[in-house]
Amino acid sequence: MPDTQALVNDFLNKLKKRKIEGSQATAKQTAELLRSVISQTRVPYTNQAAALIQSVKAVGEGLIAANPVELAVGNVVRRVLHIIREEDLSLTTAAMAGLNLSAVSDDEDDVDGDNQPVLSAAAIAAASRSTLRPPSLQTLLEDVPDSAAVPHTSSSGGDSEGKSKSADKSSRSRKLKHDVIEAVNELIQDINTCHEQIAEQAVEHIHQNEVILTLGSSRTVLEFLCAAKEKKRSFRVFVAEGAPRYQGHLLAKELVTRGLQTTLITDSAIFAMISRVNMVIVGAHAVMANGGVIAPVGLNMVALAAQKHAVPFVVLAGSHKLCPLYPHHPEVLLNELRSPSELLDFGEFSDCLDFGSGIGAPLLHVVNPTFDYVPPKLVSLFITDTGGHNPSYIAEIYQLFVMSLRGEDMKFKSEIMKTNCIAGGNLVKS
Amino acid sequence: MSFPILMKPLPLSLKDFNFIAEANKSNAPGGAASSKSVKQPPQKKDGPPVASSVAASERGVDRPVEKERKKDLPPPRMQFDDESRVGKAKRRSLLNQPEARNRVELFRHLPPHKNGSQLPYLESKFFELHEMHPSVYKVGLQYLTGDTSGGNARCIAMLQAFQEAIRDYSTPPEKTLNRDLTSKIGGFVSFLIECRPLSMSMGNAIRFLKSRIARLPLTLSESEAKAALCSDIDRFINEKIVLADKVILRHAATKIRDGDVLLTYGSSCVVEMILLYAHEIGKQFRVVVVDSRPMLEGQKLLRRLVAKGLSCTYTQLNAISYVMHEVTRVFLGASSIFSNGTVYSRVGTAPVAMVAHAFHVPVLVCCEAYKFHERVQLDSICFNELGDPDAVSKVPGRVDVNYLDNLTDKQKENLQLLNLKYDATPSDYISVIVTDYGMIPPTSVPVIVREYRKEYLLI
């Protein structure tokens, strides 16, 4: 698959050089890339799901390693793997139902024993009920004893039905890929339309004569506010500029173009103004499994100020940002430091950057982190494309999701976390 | 002999002083006596009329005489949404004030910023202002352009300019030194207010000066009186600022241990002195300098600290949650501390104190006692100073982020820019205030204001 490989390499380069801005764009491109990987993967007659999973995992690990801080990549990879398994399961159950075989495991199960659940009738029924939706507790409880007990009834049964099944399998193999690609297309569609779905909920939260505060620039927030404006709610927005990227200026320009009364303030004035603000609405970079938020730098300060003044702190996040990882030391491990030239002009400060003291260590360090961690207790509400949620509910969703994932799907995350721990501190006190 | 006792209730404004002087002129034969008598009422109600006349001159406009006033209430400040008063102020003002476009509604009660573009206009008026002393004029220009900033620096510059003016002063015939000089000082103060609103430290210093003038014994000759006033001013600067800073240094240095990571925000002269002093006496520590737009004062502090060999980390305000993990102490300066313990200081101090409090890092505010004030303030909106709004939209030195150049009129109509200069930090975030009276908790500020006011203001 030379052209896929070229695509993958190209994408890897972009991720490493941080050329792709924003988790929505990253998620979309990751999904499209995986779709082409899947369509290019040659699947054997037997065990196609495993082959697909293998190829997706191989690419996925590389993508995640290229930019560990961009959690949307990992989220999409995990969801695609989940899709593959689910589609395979539903196809198998349909096939089983069609062939009228009750307690026979496929050949795939033999080879791939720990991967696939044993297909008891109850499990088939259960599995067919839950395809791409987050699994309910009931299905999980039914799945668990099945995967624990692994009776391979064996390849002995396989031979005689082998030939009759092979025809089915070949059609099934094409169908599996087809289904998976369709589901991935749906995923891409979801990623594309997450803004609209979130914006639809705007009118429930913004009423007349409100004052809203936001920091930096997020496309979700922009669409959200404009949707409320469309519904003829008149409100004012305070935009904090969000140094050192100053994306607040961009957002302010967009908002005034669409006719909203906007006031641009500096970040230092946030605490001063927040007593007159009704609601803080911000976007997020990623939402972690405990309900904590990885957000652009400065938002922890805003969240603390909002808590002090009892102002609701609302986070808008598309579902591709919801990450099943638990954050350990997120300020350091899930953060990136940007160039100091955004804060200090090198030309002006070149004399201070000499190695002054005897051991040769520079006297002046400049710290310019990209992200901030907001703990879940400071967030009042998450608005995602599936509706509004409490931070503790996000944690619950992810407990369920994590339980439904296979152990190996989570593995590359723990590897990443380990390498981050070893690489250790981008600590200030180096 | 009946003295023409003026039963005018407080406060006496500038116009009233002129009126009294003219009344004296008309009673020529009883001139000396009546001047004495008129002096009685001001001296009896020494505290409040001085305070209120300070307030009146701080506003620089005529105030209608008010019927009743409790002695202890500080007079309210000039509110700029009052049309009639603003109109009068404009007529008397020296600066050409263009109509500020797109003022933020919430801050209509504050005077709009006067930017440096007024400078050529003011310079051209130099020879027309016979009432103004050149050194006061110079100080005013320095305030206007921002060359002199910071509570202590502005106060010292102003007092030294007043010293010069007093030395060059000579009492006109038929006037008494006290009242005429007081009215002259009032005129200077109103000019300075037009250049830039007074800081609390300056307000207290003016109050001190006026009380000294009013307390001058009548037996002194003019030159003796002037010499006494100049030495009083020197004493004020020396005791209340210079020596007070030395005491603060000693106290604060005891709170710095080896291995500390100290965080400071913006550029406070007292904190800078503390850090340099602690470094001199050999303590090993690191400094984190937090800075913010649009003034970027931290860069100047950073340069001075690195030049002296302290190892520093520089960051901007948004990253404060990132650096606060390893900070052990936070040192902040203040422009003033109010009687409810609220610290009034450069905008951005409040979020620093809040985040430090959330991370359980002690916050030490270093402030001389002469900056304490009996007012109270709950939030940063009721009283503040507006800065140049264009400084928010323009980012100097970064052409790639100038998104707000070339806005259409329709866009400009909806966009307002807000540049605040000060904010109010609630007292619960402050662990201790280091003053020349020692290290006090924020709740002790009204005690010092009440018990030691005469002493700390040398009234």
Side-chain angles (χ1 to χ4, degrees), chain B residues 47 97 120-121 128 134 156 179 183 202 209 260 271 278 290 333 358 361 384 393 401 419 452:
Chain B
Q97 291 198 35
Y121 177 77
E128 300 174 24
I156 292 177
R179 274 176 283 113
S183 71
M202 291 165 70
L209 183 60
D260 263 349
V271 175
V290 179
V361 175
N384 211 317
S393 61
V401 293
N419 185 1
Y452 296 105

Side-chain angles (χ1 to χ4, degrees), chain A residues 241 264 276 348 363 365 426, chain B residues 303 312 314 322 379 416:
Chain A
E241 58 180 7
L264 182 64
R276 300 293 190 271
E348 273 179 42
L363 287 179
H365 287 261
N426 280 337
Chain B
R303 196 182 277 284
C312 300
Y314 176 79
Y322 182 84
D379 59 23
Q416 290 161 355

Side-chain angles (χ1 to χ4, degrees), chain B residues 168-428:
Chain B
D168 294 344
Y169 170 77
S170 59
T171 322
E174 312 255 339
K175 291 197 181 171
T176 56
L177 177 113
N178 302 35
R179 274 176 283 113
D180 189 58
L181 186 56
T182 314
S183 71
K184 262 216 148 26
I185 301 273
F188 295 160
V189 169
S190 53
F191 171 72
L192 291 179
I193 291 175
E194 282 178 36
C195 296
R196 192 179 158 187
L198 290 185
S199 70
M200 300 292 177
S201 54
M202 291 165 70
N204 285 345
I206 291 169
R207 198 195 300 189
F208 151 75
L209 183 60
K210 291 204 171 179
S211 76
R212 294 317 293 176
I213 296 176
R215 287 241 181 106
L216 282 177
L218 300 167
T219 51
L220 287 183
S221 72
E222 184 181 311
S223 56
E224 282 172 7
K226 290 192 323 188
L229 282 178
C230 291
S231 77
D232 276 341
I233 292 180
D234 276 332
R235 189 164 73 102
F236 185 87
I237 293 179
N238 197 35
E239 280 185 31
K240 294 295 147 191
I241 305 182
V242 177
L243 284 180
D245 282 344
K246 291 206 168 74
V247 173
I248 292 177
L249 287 191
R250 300 265 181 292
H251 284 301
T254 61
K255 289 297 179 193
I256 303 179
R257 307 161 300 185
D258 283 343
D260 263 349
V261 180
L262 308 177
L263 185 139
T264 182
Y265 175 75
S267 160
S268 162
C269 56
V270 185
V271 175
E272 185 183 341
M273 281 195 266
I274 291 173
L275 295 174
L276 293 175
Y277 175 70
H279 185 68
E280 264 172 56
I281 63 178
K283 306 230 176 179
Q284 303 293 323
F285 58 91
R286 276 199 305 128
V287 179
V288 180
V289 177
V290 179
D291 199 8
S292 83
R293 278 244 304 150
M295 305 204 47
L296 291 175
E297 294 171 320
Q299 291 189 355
K300 305 185 187 106
L301 174 67
L302 182 72
R303 196 182 277 284
R304 293 194 286 262
L305 290 179
V306 173
K308 292 280 165 97
L310 278 87
S311 80
C312 300
T313 304
Y314 176 79
T315 183
Q316 44 95 25
L317 181 66
N318 278 337
I320 194 124
S321 312
Y322 182 84
V323 295
M324 195 57 78
H325 288 283
E326 43 168 44
V327 172
T328 54
R329 304 257 191 278
V330 174
F331 279 89
L332 299 172
S335 170
S336 169
I337 305 191
F338 295 135
S339 282
N340 59 343
T342 310
V343 174
Y344 187 70
S345 160
R346 177 67 68 220
V347 67
T349 312
V352 171
M354 172 187 68
V355 175
H357 181 77
F359 283 79
H360 308 293
V361 175
V363 176
L364 293 89
V365 173
C366 308
C367 176
E368 301 87 349
Y370 84 101
K371 289 180 179 169
F372 290 179
H373 204 280
E374 71 258 10
R375 289 189 201 285
V376 291
Q377 189 162 328
L378 289 173
D379 59 23
S380 320
I381 299 183
C382 302
F383 182 66
N384 211 317
E385 187 185 328
L386 292 177
D388 187 8
D390 291 326
V392 175
S393 61
K394 295 202 193 330
V395 183
R398 298 268 305 272
V399 280
D400 52 327
V401 293
N402 278 330
Y403 303 119
L404 290 177
D405 299 337
N406 314 326
L407 287 181
T408 65
D409 281 339
K410 177 180 175 271
Q411 287 171 327
K412 279 190 205 163
E413 202 181 283
N414 288 329
L415 181 66
Q416 290 161 355
L417 300 165
L418 180 62
N419 185 1
L420 289 178
K421 289 233 151 158
Y422 290 103
D423 72 8
T425 309
S427 60
D428 18 348

Side-chain angles (χ1 to χ4, degrees), chain A residues 337-391:
Chain A
L337 296 181
R338 297 167 65 93
S339 164
S341 62
E342 291 177 359
L343 299 186
L344 281 186
D345 190 27
F346 280 139
E348 273 179 42
F349 277 85
S350 49
D351 50 343
C352 300
L353 295 171
D354 287 343
F355 283 26
S357 58
I359 50 174
L363 287 179
L364 178 61
H365 287 261
V366 180
V367 176
N368 189 3
T370 320
F371 297 119
D372 233 355
Y373 174 68
V374 181
K377 63 177 170 22
L378 296 178
V379 180
S380 311
L381 188 68
F382 282 102
I383 298 185
T384 66
D385 36 3
T386 50
H389 305 297
N390 226 13

